[in-house]
Amino acid sequence: MAAIGDAGPEIVDSRSLIAGYDGPGPLIYLGVAAVVAAVRWRFMPLLAVVTGVLFLVGGFSDASFVDRLGTPTEPVQFCAGWLQMAGFAAAAAFGIAAVRRQRSAPARTADPDERHDTETEGPRR
């Protein structure tokens, strides 16, 4: 989402998928997404969290970008900026959710007919 939000306005303005180079942002987003998807390690989604938070802080600290988010005079720029920020926020939220440890459910018995309250009702037949 962030790569589309970053490169989208240039693609719309030039009417071409080869819109020109506007910085390494979209390549970084796609690279991090590929690494998180390809490397099998429990804490790898935290890389997406760090990247998302850094780009959120960087985006909101740039006055021209914040102006673009606040004034919808150019609808493509406005929607693309919010799409980009939503992508970073989603990466951070889902990355944290992916590494949180789940509490294990109580073990179930292998026999579904076996009951644990045999003291009061006797064995089930």
Side-chain angles (χ1 to χ4, degrees), residues 21-39:
Y21 184 77
D22 79 332
L27 296 175
I28 293 171
Y29 317 146
L30 294 174
V32 168
V35 168
V36 169
V39 176

Side-chain angles (χ1 to χ4, degrees), residues 26-124:
L27 296 175
I28 293 171
Y29 317 146
L30 294 174
V32 168
V35 168
V36 169
V39 176
R40 298 190 51 83
W41 183 47
R42 173 170 163 64
F43 296 105
M44 188 51 70
L46 291 179
L47 180 63
V49 173
V50 170
T51 304
V53 169
L54 287 175
F55 278 106
L56 276 172
V57 169
F60 285 125
S61 65
D62 182 16
S64 66
F65 186 76
V66 172
D67 287 343
R68 183 171 65 170
L69 293 176
T71 55
T73 56
E74 296 179 30
V76 172
Q77 298 283 341
F78 178 75
C79 291
W82 280 109
L83 181 66
Q84 193 175 6
M85 291 295 112
F88 294 139
F94 291 131
I96 290 170
V99 297
R100 289 197 56 189
R101 206 172 270 274
Q102 295 288 332
R103 290 192 177 129
S104 61
R108 298 183 185 240
T109 60
D111 184 8
D113 292 331
E114 182 180 333
R115 294 182 57 152
H116 295 286
D117 55 349
T118 56
E119 293 177 358
T120 58
E121 295 181 10
R124 187 174 183 190

